[in-house]
Amino acid sequence: MALQISALFSYLRAPLGPGPLSRVCADFQGPGVRFKHMFSHLGGNQATSPVRGHIKAALRAEKFSTTTATAIWKSSQVKGSSSPRGTRGWLGKVALGAALGVSTVALVQSLHTGTVTAMAGKVNLNSAEGDWKKTKDNLLSLSVKDRRQHYSTANFVPLEAVSVWTPTAGSSEQTLCQRNEKLDQKISLYSGDITKLEVDAIVNAANKTLLGGGGVDGAIHRAAGPMLKKECASLHGCETGEAKITCGYRLPAKYVIHTVGPIAQGGVGEEEKKALRSCYKNSLTTATKNAARSVAFPCISTGVYGYPPEQAVHEALATVREYLDEHHDKLDRVIFCVFLPTDKELYLQTLPLYFPAAPTEATVKSKL
Ligand code: APR
């Protein structure tokens, strides 16, 4: 409904051409919401006037109270109204709005204020009250500009502010992968708080309950607000290596992809390696399934879960490299978000092994 309202108001504010409600094609697009209205001159034969047609259609469709629609329709036929922007144009619009089941008072209010806020109401993201599904739909239907009003942080980091990591030529003699120039602009190494990143999806190193915890999990839940936990509770947990997606709510990230890393306190075997790779692979698959084209990973399992970072970095980079080789068209950016200086060093040393630079002249010569 909120989407219908916002689609409607984007039309109601649209400038009208000459002549009473002259030929206007309003095409309200939106998921499940599509209104296409062609209005020709209102002054013509009333019986064929499209506005009357629309009200009748809406009455049928919306079982709308005839009182409001008829009253508005009659008053919009007042002769002598001046320009289309005068009463006739204005009332014709209200008639359309009314026919779409939107209260006249609010319409008048919005026509004067030109904002939809009065209609859609502010979503209170600080409270665990309210329906997380409606809140999620509302937030995901907003433009980035409008979503920014709901962020819990003012100092978010837009994607364009996250520099692309490019391998310096010859930065490492031996490489573990062939060069793939298609991936040159796809990788970033970002040092800082993942909850500030304004990307399509951030990955959360969660636990099996998905109900929050410490570390990056705690930081994400704090920044997202209580609605995140409400949606997570509806997912009924997550197995190690699996990944599940939710809305980002008050985060600058549109989505959160929750994954559960292996606990490697007692050392790392094949099972832990496989589980960690699954976290990265399933998170990327979940991202691309939801058309998320920029994804940021923390160093999964290397905190509380005790996976040695110098081993985890290889599972992370090898899996992301393998996925990008196959699906580079589905992702614009994969960001490795490191929080500790030691992790930053580790990634700087290891990235060139998996994402090698073009060979320099010297290295080419040395191989001849
Ligand atoms: N932004 C980015 N990275 C962060 C942030 C942050 N705000 N906070 C912590 N990190 C880093 C840590 O420095 C570590 O490198 O995230 C990495 C993962 O550490 P943990 O958060 O401890 O995650 P993990 O080791 O996978 O353990 C998961 O810890 O928090 C609980 O509920 C969580 O039970 C789960 C377990």
Side-chain angles (χ1 to χ4, degrees):
M1 184 59 184
L3 192 63
Q4 283 168 297
I5 294 168
S6 54
L8 169 68
F9 287 120
S10 59
Y11 161 65
L12 291 174
R13 283 201 301 266
L16 280 174
L21 256 192
S22 63
R23 203 166 185 73
V24 171
C25 173
D27 187 359
F28 306 149
Q29 294 280 349
V33 170
R34 192 174 167 76
F35 299 92
K36 201 162 180 69
H37 293 270
M38 301 294 282
F39 292 101
S40 57
H41 290 280
L42 255 187
N45 170 352
Q46 283 185 24
T48 56
S49 157
V51 174
R52 174 190 286 271
H54 278 282
I55 287 184
K56 275 189 179 157
L59 290 180
R60 277 195 302 280
E62 299 278 327
K63 296 185 183 46
F64 186 69
S65 93
T66 54
T67 328
T68 317
T70 316
I72 288 169
W73 169 252
K74 280 195 178 121
S75 54
S76 75
Q77 296 309 297
V78 172
K79 289 285 172 269
S81 58
S82 54
S83 79
R85 297 177 195 282
T87 48
R88 214 185 298 184
W90 181 82
L91 281 171
K93 285 184 165 188
V94 172
L96 169 69
L100 292 169
V102 177
S103 92
T104 315
V105 171
L107 268 171
V108 170
Q109 186 181 4
S110 73
L111 283 174
H112 283 302
T113 59
T115 60
V116 183
T117 310
M119 293 298 297
K122 278 276 181 228
V123 175
N124 180 5
L125 293 174
N126 282 322
S127 146
E129 301 310 311
D131 182 335
W132 66 262
K133 286 193 184 105
K134 273 192 196 145
T135 305
K136 175 177 180 176
D137 290 348
N138 194 331
L139 284 171
L140 294 183
S141 70
L142 297 178
S143 65
V144 173
K145 182 171 160 287
D146 290 341
R147 224 161 39 82
R148 283 175 175 175
Q149 297 165 41
H150 298 294
Y151 292 173
S152 57
T153 176
N155 48 2
F156 57 89
V157 179
L159 178 61
E160 54 273 12
V162 181
S163 56
V164 169
W165 174 83
T166 41
T168 41
S171 48
S172 73
E173 283 309 300
Q174 90 277 22
T175 61
L176 298 172
C177 293
Q178 289 292 324
R179 170 161 171 70
N180 179 352
E181 62 281 353
K182 291 194 184 81
L183 309 187
D184 280 352
Q185 299 297 311
K186 302 270 184 191
I187 298 293
S188 289
L189 177 60
Y190 176 79
S191 195
D193 182 352
I194 201 167
T195 67
K196 305 288 186 229
L197 292 178
E198 188 180 55
V199 290
D200 287 345
I202 59 171
V203 175
N204 180 23
N207 58 54
K208 286 186 176 183
T209 69
L210 293 187
L211 298 178
V216 69
D217 192 8
I220 287 173
H221 274 271
R222 279 191 301 277
M227 284 285 184
L228 177 62
K229 189 170 178 180
K230 277 190 95 170
E231 181 174 3
C232 282
S234 73
L235 298 174
H236 306 302
C238 182
E239 287 308 313
T240 300
E242 294 302 310
K244 293 190 177 180
I245 195 167
T246 64
C247 178
Y249 296 102
R250 302 210 64 196
L251 283 162
K254 198 171 174 184
Y255 296 108
V256 181
I257 294 173
H258 307 265
T259 192
V260 181
I263 298 175
Q265 302 295 5
V268 174
E270 275 318 301
E271 191 187 332
E272 288 74 23
K273 280 186 183 176
K274 196 161 163 280
L276 189 55
R277 284 183 174 235
S278 298
C279 287
Y280 284 90
K281 181 170 184 184
N282 289 334
S283 295
L284 289 172
T285 307
T286 305
T288 51
K289 273 186 187 157
N290 289 274
R293 297 188 63 87
S294 51
V295 183
F297 283 99
C299 302
I300 301 168
S301 272
T302 62
V304 168
Y305 280 3
Y307 204 112
E310 63 283 0
Q311 294 182 54
V313 64
H314 286 280
E315 306 315 329
L317 293 181
T319 311
V320 170
R321 168 67 204 252
E322 204 174 294
Y323 190 88
L324 281 175
D325 278 339
E326 204 179 331
H327 305 286
H328 51 78
D329 55 320
K330 294 184 186 144
L331 285 162
D332 297 331
R333 198 84 70 82
V334 175
I335 300 169
F336 294 100
C337 178
V338 290
F339 204 54
L340 304 172
T342 46
D343 286 332
K344 182 175 179 183
E345 267 322 298
L346 204 50
Y347 272 81
L348 284 173
Q349 284 162 23
T350 318
L351 271 164
L353 302 180
Y354 292 92
F355 297 90
T360 59
E361 212 174 299
T363 41
V364 169
K365 276 194 186 127
S366 67
K367 289 203 167 79
L368 295 176

